[in-house]
């Protein structure tokens, strides 16, 4: 591509590519795509985006195309790779001038220079770093800033490389430029502080930007540029300097107003200082040891003493707490149980920690966390009043919650309490004892303190297991607190029911459950919405607990379910509705069929909720989960839900519909449980299977569920189902088997095996295209045992239950393989006998014995030649399935089933689904469960004897090992 002639053409097409008109835009994009691999194209783009007189949008697009081209064509081994000559020209052009006036374009240019540096620096681009170091020294503000911005992005990219050789190069780079980077940072920092105190806001803003960029460079060099950074004086000097700089910047933050132009950037810089410490601690815990004492003193003073008042802003407090938490929890600082096994570095760090965390310090931290940071704020109380659902979402982990102060304080409390529980348990218990009895509803502060202390007791539940008699506390005090109905007491009602939820799985007597259920029922009628939502959460934790007993809960089921349903109708926020639905789902799941009398209202409401939630896919997921448990609870009665249920399954599992991205997994699960509980196959249920072909093509993690659905259809109504879909299914399976894992092969073959089991007459014909590869797999000795086992199961079914089709298959395979039919049969039997140990399932082992025995009686010389192997397999099968009656000393086949009985289900067991019953009925027709292997062996041997005559039969038996014969005779006693 000639630069001079091409520039105007490329410029014109780039201009068209910025158009809003798709008729202009699309052809331009196509043309640019074709030029991507043309020599000279990227040189033209470089000329365009470095020409500041051109339209900004056109230049922006040129930068993006250049950046994408680096990803695709810069590497030497890439298809259509750029020539070394063009790359050299581009590299030189990229660092000729750092004078881009537009910030966004300057950032993109810095990023693309860093991308090239990742591939070429330092070997092909040795001049990059020296050029950057010179450019950051220039007096021109714009050039200096752009060079510094590029310097940061290059450092960041090189620091991210992880190969040993790349790490070595970065270590060399860091050693060479660290001193310069430190002096650069100090210079810009000092300049900023001077300018801020002289009131030169514009100059201060520029210097602060350079301070921030140079600090970002130092962060990467410090954290990733040294193997043993504590041995480098400059590194430790910089890290120690951070604490002084932080104090200066915090004072600066206090002195300037909230509207100051530097305010946001100043706070970002303060946070970046803390990130340097946190990153360094994370990557180099032992190198951080000299900083432990100072870090703890600094963080604790700003967070837990008056020093931080008016200075520390919320994000800074969070970072300081994270620093304390990381030091407290750091595994590198914890000695082994046997101290002599610990390293000197660990012992040194532990010693510093222990010296700092004295009893007075820990007590003050604990008290401050609970009585200051745990307190509900005025803003939160206002939100509780004005937006109770919003308050609940925030409290339970909304998007902003994870970045806020409260969760950070709670995590710090849990970690410190866990580490120093022997010291802090008496402190917390003393706080609890000081608050015994109901609190004056007029004393807001006392109510908030009690809320905070109870919060601490809930968070530390596991640590307090041996120190708190929670059952007595519940009976004697907490229950009474729940009965205080004054509206000002609602924080305590909410906190107490939350507290019980935290302790329910830790220490709560089963006998007290009815009292708790009574309390929950009352609170679900509380005048305050937040209290009701919190109560629903505790109910979920209670029914989820492994000590949950249905009999204790049943007297409260109707009223609780009604109240939960009313709560579901009352709340309006998507997140809250999801939460209440999950509670309802949990209750339905635990009580199972006992829910049937009470679900009418929910069944009527869910279609409306589904319609209202069209724009809220996560709420629809919650509805699907509820429906899954509802169908399981209703069993065969779920058929009455089909007018609502089946269109939902249809939509959720249709990959051509956009919502399937969110709904597919739950939709498939609902489809499966619907089939499992369906009493019969309806036309609508059959029609939904049209979605399956596309699902099988996805080959996603949901494939296993898809195969379960297919098996469920086969069990539900094999003839009707296969009549419509056998052809499509067989084609899908043939495609899947070409490109699928071992597990996927097994899943496909299990479906085929089920078809053969359910419909032995037509099944082999329907899936005939799959059977030759199965047969070939046996003959070739498939190397994966689990696949071989499934192959033998499939062919075993055909051989045992459709001998005529097996003969046709054998003839087909003999033609394909160019072998004699008898020779092929002999090879198959020999491989079967040899690989019998691959089969681990008792049912399939018995099937193999029955299948091979079905070849008898025979005067075929090949079968007689393999007679010994057939008897060996038969004896193995007998050992697998025969159990001895100790009284009569006779054997019986433990797999035999004679009639169908409804199993007796205990209270805690789930009743059998309709599919479970269908499987039982199918088993009653399955030779594996209806034919006695013992009798079958006897009858086949007797028939063989009659066919050959006594003398020839005895000669045949002599080919079998005498020990095998002796064991066989023992099993056949009485025949």
């Amino acid at each position: 591509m000639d630069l001079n002639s091409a520039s105007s053409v490329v410029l014109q097409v780039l201009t068209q590519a910025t158009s809003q008109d798709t008729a202009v835009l699309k052809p331009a994009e196509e043309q640019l795509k074709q030029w991507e691999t043309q020599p000279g194209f990227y040189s033209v783009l470089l000329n365009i985006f470095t020409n500041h007189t051109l339209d900004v949008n056109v230049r922006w697009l040129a930068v993006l195309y250049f950046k994408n081209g680096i990803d695709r064509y810069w590497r030497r081994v890439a298809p259509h790779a750029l020539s070394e000559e063009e790359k050299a020209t581009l590299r030189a052009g990229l660092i000729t001038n750092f004078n881009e006036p537009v910030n966004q374009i300057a950032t993109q240019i810095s990023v693309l220079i860093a991308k090239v540096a990742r591939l070429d620096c330092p070997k092909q681009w040795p001049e990059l770093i020296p050029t950057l170091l010179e450019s950051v020294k220039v007096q021109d503000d714009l050039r200096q800033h752009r060079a510094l911005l590029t310097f940061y992005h290059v450092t960041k990219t090189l620091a991210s490389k992880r190969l040993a050789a790349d790490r070595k190069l970065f270590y060399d780079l860091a050693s060479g430029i660290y001193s310069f980077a430190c002096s650069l940072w100090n210079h810009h920092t000092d300049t900023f502080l001077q300018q801020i105190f002289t009131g030169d806001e514009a100059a201060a803003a520029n210097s602060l930007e350079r301070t921030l960029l140079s600090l970002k460079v130092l962060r990467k060099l410090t954290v990733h540029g040294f193997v043993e950074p504590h041995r480098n004086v400059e590194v430790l000097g910089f890290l120690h300097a951070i604490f002084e700089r932080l104090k200066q910047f915090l004072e600066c933050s206090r002195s300037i107003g909230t509207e100051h132009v530097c305010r946001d950037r100043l706070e970002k810089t303060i946070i970046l200082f803390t990130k340097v410490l946190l990153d360094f601690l994370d990557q180099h815990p032992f190198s951080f040891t000299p900083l432990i004492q100072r870090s703890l003193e600094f963080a604790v003073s700003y967070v837990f003493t008056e020093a931080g008042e008016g200075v520390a802003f919320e994000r800074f407090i969070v970072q300081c707490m994270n620093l304390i938490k990381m030091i407290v929890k750091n595994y590198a600082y914890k000695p082994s149980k046997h101290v002599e096994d610990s390293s000197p570095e660990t012992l040194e760090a532990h010693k510093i920690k222990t010296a700092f965390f004295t009893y007075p310090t820990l007590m003050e931290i604990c008290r401050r966390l609970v009585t200051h940071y745990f307190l509900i704020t005025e803003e939160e109380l206002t939100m509780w009043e004005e937006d109770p659902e919003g308050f609940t979402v925030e409290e339970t982990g909304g998007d902003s919650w994870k970045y806020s102060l409260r969760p950070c304080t709670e995590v710090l409390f849990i970690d410190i309490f866990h580490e120093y529980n022997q010291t802090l348990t008496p402190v917390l218990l003393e706080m609890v004892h000081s608050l015994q009895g109901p609190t004056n509803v007029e004393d807001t502060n006392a109510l908030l303190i009690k809320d905070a202390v109870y919060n601490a007791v809930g968070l530390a539940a596991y640590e307090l297991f041996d120190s708190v008699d929670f059952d007595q506390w519940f009976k004697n005090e907490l229950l009474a607190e729940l009965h205080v109905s004054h509206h000002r007491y609602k924080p305590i009602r909410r906190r107490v029911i939350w507290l019980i939820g935290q302790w329910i799985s830790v220490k709560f007597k089963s006998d007290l459950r009815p009292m708790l259920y009574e309390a929950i029922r009352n609170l679900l009628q509380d005048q305050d919405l937040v209290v009701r939502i919190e109560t629903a959460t505790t109910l979920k934790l209670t029914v989820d607990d492994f000590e949950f007993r249905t009999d204790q809960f049943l007297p409260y089921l109707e009223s609780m379910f009604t109240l939960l349903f009313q709560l579901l109708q009352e709340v309006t926020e998507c997140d809250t509705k999801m939460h209440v639905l999950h509670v309802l789902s949990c209750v339905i799941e635990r009580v199972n069929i006992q829910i049937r009398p009470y679900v009418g209202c929910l069944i009527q409401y869910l279609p409306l909720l589904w319609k209202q939630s069209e724009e809220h896919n996560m709420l629809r997921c919650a509805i699907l989960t509820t429906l899954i448990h509802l169908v399981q609870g209703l069993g065969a009665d779920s058929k009455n839900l089909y007018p609502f249920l089946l269109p939902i399954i249809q939509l959720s599992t249709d990959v051509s519909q956009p919502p399937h991205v969110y709904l597919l997994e739950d939709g498939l699960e609902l489809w499966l449980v619907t089939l499992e509980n369906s009493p019969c196959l309806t036309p609508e249920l059959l029609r939904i299977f049209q979605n399956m072909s596309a699902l099988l093509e996805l080959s996603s993690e949901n494939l296993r569920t898809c195969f379960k659905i297919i098996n469920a259809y086969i069990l539900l109504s094999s003839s009707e189902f296969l009549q419509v879909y056998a052809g499509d299914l067989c084609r899908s399976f043939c495609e899947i088997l070409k490109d699928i894992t071992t597990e996927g092969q097994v899943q496909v073959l299990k479906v085929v095996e089920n078809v053969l089991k359910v419909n032995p007459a037509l099944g082999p014909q329907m899936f005939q295209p799959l059977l030759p590869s199965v047969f070939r797999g046996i003959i070739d000795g498939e190397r994966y045992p689990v696949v071989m086992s499934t192959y033998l199961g499939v062919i075993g079914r055909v051989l045992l239950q459709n001998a005529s089709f097996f003969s046709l298959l054998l003839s087909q395979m003999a033609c394909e393989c160019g072998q004699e039919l008898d020779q092929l049969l002999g090879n198959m039997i020999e491989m079967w006998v040899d690989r019998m140990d691959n089969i681990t399932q008792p049912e399939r082992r018995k099937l193999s014995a029955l299948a091979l025995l079905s070849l008898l009686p025979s005067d075929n010389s090949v079968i007689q030649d393999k007679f010994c192997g057939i008897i060996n397999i038969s004896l193995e099968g007998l050992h697998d399935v025969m159990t001895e009656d100790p009284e009569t000393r006779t054997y019986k086949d433990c797999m035999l089933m004679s009639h169908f009985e409804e199993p007796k289900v205990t209270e805690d067991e789930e009743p059998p689904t309709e599919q479970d019953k269908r499987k039982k009925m199918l088993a009653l027709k399955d030779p594996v469960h209806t034919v006695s292997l013992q009798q079958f062996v006897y009858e086949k041997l007797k028939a063989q004897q009659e066919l050959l005559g006594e003398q020839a039969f005895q000669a045949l038996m002599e080919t079998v090992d005498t020990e095998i014969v002796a064991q066989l005779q023992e099993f056949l006693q009485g025949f």
Side-chain angles (χ1 to χ4, degrees), residues 337-374:
K337 286 184 178 178
H338 303 291
V339 178
E340 61 272 14
D341 295 336
S342 305
S343 69
E345 294 86 355
T346 297
L347 294 175
E348 174 64 19
H350 181 68
K351 182 181 172 184
I352 297 169
K353 267 176 58 181
T354 306
F356 180 82
F357 286 111
T358 59
Y359 176 76
T361 302
L362 285 169
M363 184 173 71
E364 185 57 29
I365 289 173
C366 180
R367 286 187 177 279
R368 270 298 265 195
L369 279 170
V370 176
T371 61
H372 179 71
Y373 289 107
F374 280 13

Side-chain angles (χ1 to χ4, degrees), residues 108-165:
Q108 290 300 321
I109 292 172
S110 296
V111 169
L112 69 85
I113 289 173
K115 282 178 174 285
V116 175
R118 183 181 184 89
L119 300 169
D120 290 359
C121 185
K123 291 181 181 176
Q124 283 82 37
W125 207 2
E127 64 273 18
L128 172 63
I129 301 298
T131 303
L132 288 172
L133 295 182
E134 284 303 313
S135 301
V136 297
K137 297 176 188 174
V138 299
Q139 294 305 306
D140 184 289
D141 277 356
L142 181 64
R143 291 175 188 273
Q144 186 189 68
H145 177 270
R146 298 316 191 217
L148 194 51
L149 179 67
T150 306
F151 188 29
Y152 161 61
H153 281 287
V154 168
T155 309
K156 177 184 174 183
T157 300
L158 295 179
S160 69
K161 298 179 80 173
R162 288 291 170 261
L163 292 176

Side-chain angles (χ1 to χ4, degrees), residues 588-654:
I588 295 168
E589 184 181 16
R590 291 311 297 261
V591 301
N592 208 282
I593 60 172
Q594 308 277 5
I595 200 66
R596 290 178 185 177
Y598 315 119
V599 292
C601 55
L602 181 63
I603 289 169
Q604 289 179 335
Y605 176 65
L606 284 179
L608 174 63
L609 185 59
W610 180 266
K611 190 173 181 182
Q612 291 172 342
S613 62
E614 194 168 353
E615 301 300 317
H616 303 283
N617 286 308
M618 297 315 293
L619 177 53
R620 286 195 157 185
C621 286
I623 295 171
L624 288 172
T625 303
T626 305
L627 285 170
I628 288 166
H629 296 309
L630 255 179
V631 169
Q632 289 169 328
L634 291 171
D637 292 344
S638 61
K639 187 183 176 188
N640 299 326
L641 298 182
Y642 284 4
F644 166 55
L645 199 61
L646 300 189
I648 284 181
I649 296 171
Q650 166 72 40
L651 173 72
S652 305
T653 61
D654 183 350

